[in-house]
Amino acid sequence: CPGGGLLHSYLLGLIILLASIICALCALVYVSMQGTISNPGPRKSLPKILYTRLLLYFPEFIWAVVGAVWVSDNSVQCEKTVINGVIGTVIASWIIIIFTVIGVVIVFDPLGGKKTFYLPDGVSRNLESSQSGQLLYNVKSSATRVWEKRIRLLCCCIVQDDDHRVAFTSIAELFRSYFSDTDLVPSDIAAGLILLHQEQDKMENCPKEPEEVLCHSPSSLVTDDLDVELENAAHYMLFAAAAYGWPYYVYTNPYTALCKLNGDCCRNRPTDSEITGGDRHNFHFGSILKITGLQYRDFIHISFHNKIYEIPFFVALDHKKEAIVVAVRGTLLCSQDILTDLSADCEDLTLEEVLENGFVHKGITQAANYIYRKLINDGILNQAFTIAPEYKLVIVGHSLGGGTASILAIMLRNSFPMLRCYAFSPPGGLLSKSLADYTKHFIVSVIVGKDLVARLSMPNMEDLKRRIVRIVANCNRPKYQILLRGCWYEVFGGDPDDFPTELDGRNQDALTQPLLAEESLMVHRSPSYNALEEEPHLNSPPQYPHLYLPGKIIHVVEECSSRRLCSSDIKYTARWSNETVFSSILISPKMITDHMPDVVLKALNSLSQEHGSCLSCQTREYSPSAV
């Protein structure tokens, strides 16, 4: 056909080029499978093959441009099916090129070997101290700028003001400090998490002492009845879940939510003066009405305003419990909430005549300050207590909302001595020990299972990093075997793999010494590497202060589940626990799902219903008529 020679030449050249690329990729895969994570010797030829593949990128790009020009040439008069086939190959070539560029941008580390200069304070190289200090400062500044650019790129969709710029710098410093002394890639971390999960499962299956928990409620100025608190928690979790608005309602009612919201959301709503922030089509408020079962006149104030350190909340009258409820929204998948969560620096929170030197999570504290100013300065609480002066004040929230509610309760405690706070799945790194002990009089935290967020704190993250480094350094199997077997174990279960390690066959004295493999994975004499030694430096202050969960802690654990298909019959048990139970991150497929608000609400409803049925059984058994 006219012009067919051009298309024939393009396809022939493309086949030759793709064959070369496939050969390079096969070589990359084969060499990558050699050795272990901590033994890169068998992979020493990998950089040459990688650069060969990247060099092929240039003719690939040029040929894709040529193909796009030729296929769009009007002089080509071939059959439509032939033209469409060539257009498909051109599009596929451009897709490959785009994904190659994205992969290079994501994987490439502009710092490169500069990480080897990271040193703890007081350690110097064979340089003049001033030169060494200046070099270390320059490297740290470069690393901070790199992380700041990455965060700005991820948050490019939001308007960036002074608060955002300060948050970007603070979070970049945090990431730079955390990742500065490791040389792990994402697949190394995935392999480490898989090994840790299997090691954890093996330890759980072994006979051991019962988990150290409190078998009774801690002393409190208020009721210490676990059943009463579970019933209250199940009731107030509805408000914490409702604060998420329409995303939660649609998630829990995927088939009927939109129809119901479209049907009656616009009928009744508070006046515009009682609502802050946008709520297009009234979906948020309609969802809150559906979830809580309240009437529109029961709401004092609703805020959908969302910005970094400023999160949505609502104030409503709960006539069933005779309470004024302040419900704070948790984290949604938006940049503002994530930045608030990641602003994990500590700042002081000193309460007059109560505590000294109380440390709190910086980002969550600023969010609590915002709500505190709205409640007090704008007279929202005064308006609520004017309507219902005999009601008590209850503050609730889930996740980020639970942490914000806890700190807000601390701020309001002096003005409202009888207030109660229910924090559902709050972040673990929230309060210093003195503040955490103080809040046991008026805050109840509810944690389900192996919830990751409730165990998230910088010391716990440092501990997780050290555990990952040690376990991947000790395992002498190739990474691909760890990942493949681990995926099979996570999906289909079975017995945990008993991977041989470099520790096998070594004498007991050698087990306490760091391995050479660990030194290759962590920069020489870095803080995390020193932490792997048997005797830590007792005189050196911790890099991050220890922060804890707020208040008394109810730990809800899955007891057993039905093995029948299509069955969700899960039984839960609850008990009083303490902060030491959450001092380590547990790896589990449920570490994320246990945090979800619908799972928390389901567990609390199950426990509350079980308690109610037990009470009714006891009432019938011992009633005078039965006797």
Side-chain angles (χ1 to χ4, degrees), residues 125 325 331 337 415 623:
R125 295 188 180 275
V325 179
T331 302
D337 293 344
S415 301
S623 63

Side-chain angles (χ1 to χ4, degrees), residues 21-80:
I21 293 174
I22 290 172
C23 291
L25 291 177
C26 290
L28 274 174
V29 172
Y30 176 76
V31 175
S32 298
M33 293 167 61
Q34 307 305 308
T36 65
I37 296 176
S38 57
N39 180 22
R43 300 190 297 271
K44 61 183 178 181
S45 60
L46 191 63
K48 297 179 181 178
I49 304 175
L50 178 62
Y51 289 129
T52 302
R53 167 63 187 95
L54 291 178
L55 285 176
L56 291 172
Y57 174 79
F58 296 102
E60 183 183 9
F61 176 77
I62 294 173
W63 205 242
V65 174
V66 170
V69 173
W70 285 354
V71 80
S72 61
D73 191 350
N74 294 328
S75 62
V76 177
Q77 302 294 327
C78 296
E79 294 182 6
K80 192 67 173 177

Side-chain angles (χ1 to χ4, degrees), residues 197-202 205 489 493-499:
H197 181 212
Q198 297 186 52
E199 180 187 57
Q200 173 187 309
D201 286 352
K202 284 188 289 186
N205 294 332
Y489 178 76
D495 295 329
D497 287 320
D498 190 14
F499 284 110

Side-chain angles (χ1 to χ4, degrees), residues 232-294:
N232 288 334
H235 176 79
Y236 289 118
M237 182 59 204
L238 273 176
F239 291 83
Y244 284 100
W246 70 261
Y248 175 83
Y249 187 65
V250 172
Y251 174 73
T252 53
N253 301 274
Y255 303 110
T256 60
L258 293 178
C259 294
K260 290 181 178 180
L261 291 177
N262 277 323
D264 57 7
C265 275
C266 300
R267 296 177 183 175
N268 293 316
R269 60 176 290 164
T271 62
D272 292 336
S273 61
E274 296 168 332
I275 295 182
T276 304
D279 182 18
R280 183 173 297 180
H281 306 301
N282 208 24
F283 276 2
H284 275 309
F285 180 65
S287 300
I288 294 174
L289 288 174
K290 293 286 186 183
I291 297 170
T292 60
L294 300 179

Side-chain angles (χ1 to χ4, degrees), residues 202-462:
K202 284 188 289 186
M203 293 179 63
E204 288 181 353
N205 294 332
C206 294
K208 60 182 184 298
E209 294 295 326
E211 185 181 21
E212 181 184 357
V213 296
L214 294 179
C215 59
H216 58 279
S217 170
S219 59
S220 175
L221 298 178
V222 294
T223 177
D224 59 357
D225 190 345
L226 176 61
D227 293 328
V228 172
E229 294 293 8
L230 283 173
E231 193 273 332
N232 288 334
H235 176 79
Y236 289 118
M237 182 59 204
L238 273 176
F239 291 83
Y244 284 100
W246 70 261
Y248 175 83
Y249 187 65
V250 172
Y251 174 73
T252 53
N253 301 274
Y255 303 110
T256 60
L258 293 178
C259 294
K260 290 181 178 180
L261 291 177
N262 277 323
D264 57 7
C265 275
C266 300
R267 296 177 183 175
N268 293 316
R269 60 176 290 164
T271 62
D272 292 336
S273 61
E274 296 168 332
I275 295 182
T276 304
D279 182 18
R280 183 173 297 180
H281 306 301
N282 208 24
F283 276 2
H284 275 309
F285 180 65
S287 300
I288 294 174
L289 288 174
K290 293 286 186 183
I291 297 170
T292 60
L294 300 179
Q295 302 296 320
Y296 74 95
R297 60 179 176 271
D298 295 328
F299 289 86
I300 306 299
H301 181 84
I302 305 173
S303 173
F304 301 116
H305 172 73
N306 195 18
K307 185 183 174 185
I308 183 172
Y309 306 140
E310 299 175 5
I311 57 181
F313 70 98
F314 68 83
V315 181
L317 300 178
D318 177 20
H319 302 295
K320 180 179 180 180
K321 293 287 185 179
E322 296 187 346
I324 296 171
V325 179
V326 179
V328 186
R329 199 196 72 183
T331 302
L332 283 178
L333 294 179
C334 59
S335 302
Q336 294 91 335
D337 293 344
I338 295 174
L339 290 174
T340 301
D341 285 322
L342 292 178
S343 299
D345 290 341
C346 295
E347 66 177 22
D348 293 331
L349 180 65
T350 303
L351 303 180
E352 296 180 0
E353 300 179 357
V354 178
L355 294 170
E356 294 181 358
N357 300 324
F359 295 105
V360 290
H361 184 291
K362 177 181 177 182
I364 297 178
T365 302
Q366 295 200 30
N369 274 321
Y370 161 75
I371 298 178
Y372 178 86
R373 291 192 300 268
K374 298 287 289 184
L375 294 177
I376 300 302
N377 297 346
D378 293 359
I380 297 174
L381 287 184
N382 283 338
Q383 179 185 353
F385 279 104
T386 300
I387 299 173
E390 72 281 4
Y391 280 18
K392 60 188 175 184
L393 178 62
V394 178
I395 307 174
V396 302
H398 172 267
S399 188
L400 168 63
T404 306
S406 300
I407 297 178
L408 178 62
I410 297 174
M411 296 175 177
L412 293 171
R413 169 72 169 170
N414 286 339
S415 301
F416 303 92
M418 300 304 294
L419 73 77
R420 299 285 290 166
C421 174
Y422 290 89
F424 303 96
S425 307
L430 189 65
L431 306 175
S432 61
K433 189 66 169 68
S434 58
L435 273 175
D437 291 339
Y438 168 67
T439 58
K440 291 182 179 180
H441 298 284
F442 56 94
I443 296 180
V444 175
S445 292
V446 180
I447 312 297
V448 175
K450 298 179 180 179
D451 185 356
L452 170 66
V453 175
R455 294 169 169 83
L456 274 185
S457 65
M458 289 311 300
N460 286 1
M461 290 295 294
E462 284 289 333

Side-chain angles (χ1 to χ4, degrees), residues 42-248:
R43 300 190 297 271
K44 61 183 178 181
S45 60
L46 191 63
K48 297 179 181 178
I49 304 175
L50 178 62
Y51 289 129
T52 302
R53 167 63 187 95
L54 291 178
L55 285 176
L56 291 172
Y57 174 79
F58 296 102
E60 183 183 9
F61 176 77
I62 294 173
W63 205 242
V65 174
V66 170
V69 173
W70 285 354
V71 80
S72 61
D73 191 350
N74 294 328
S75 62
V76 177
Q77 302 294 327
C78 296
E79 294 182 6
K80 192 67 173 177
T81 55
V82 176
I83 297 293
N84 290 338
V86 177
I87 290 176
T89 59
V90 171
I91 293 174
S93 299
W94 279 105
I95 291 175
I96 293 174
I97 290 172
I98 292 172
F99 274 96
T100 302
V101 172
I102 294 174
V104 170
V105 170
I106 292 175
V107 173
F108 178 69
D109 185 0
L111 296 176
K114 293 180 180 179
K115 285 184 179 180
T116 58
F117 289 103
Y118 275 69
L119 296 171
D121 295 336
V123 179
S124 61
R125 295 188 180 275
N126 295 327
L127 300 171
E128 294 294 334
S129 59
S130 59
Q131 294 177 344
S132 177
Q134 184 62 37
L135 179 62
L136 183 60
Y137 174 79
N138 292 337
V139 172
K140 288 184 175 181
S141 299
S142 300
T144 302
R145 286 195 298 270
V146 168
W147 279 109
E148 194 168 348
K149 289 179 181 178
R150 291 170 177 169
I151 297 171
R152 288 181 184 276
L153 183 62
L154 290 174
C155 302
C156 60
C157 58
I158 63 175
V159 179
Q160 299 178 8
D161 54 17
D162 291 338
D163 287 339
H164 287 88
R165 284 188 285 271
V166 172
F168 291 160
T169 303
S170 175
I171 297 170
E173 286 280 356
L174 189 69
F175 282 7
R176 187 267 304 166
S177 175
Y178 185 75
F179 292 106
S180 63
D181 55 359
T182 59
D183 190 19
L184 297 174
V185 296
S187 58
D188 294 337
I189 298 174
L193 293 175
I194 287 172
L195 291 173
L196 283 177
H197 181 212
Q198 297 186 52
E199 180 187 57
Q200 173 187 309
D201 286 352
K202 284 188 289 186
M203 293 179 63
E204 288 181 353
N205 294 332
C206 294
K208 60 182 184 298
E209 294 295 326
E211 185 181 21
E212 181 184 357
V213 296
L214 294 179
C215 59
H216 58 279
S217 170
S219 59
S220 175
L221 298 178
V222 294
T223 177
D224 59 357
D225 190 345
L226 176 61
D227 293 328
V228 172
E229 294 293 8
L230 283 173
E231 193 273 332
N232 288 334
H235 176 79
Y236 289 118
M237 182 59 204
L238 273 176
F239 291 83
Y244 284 100
W246 70 261
Y248 175 83

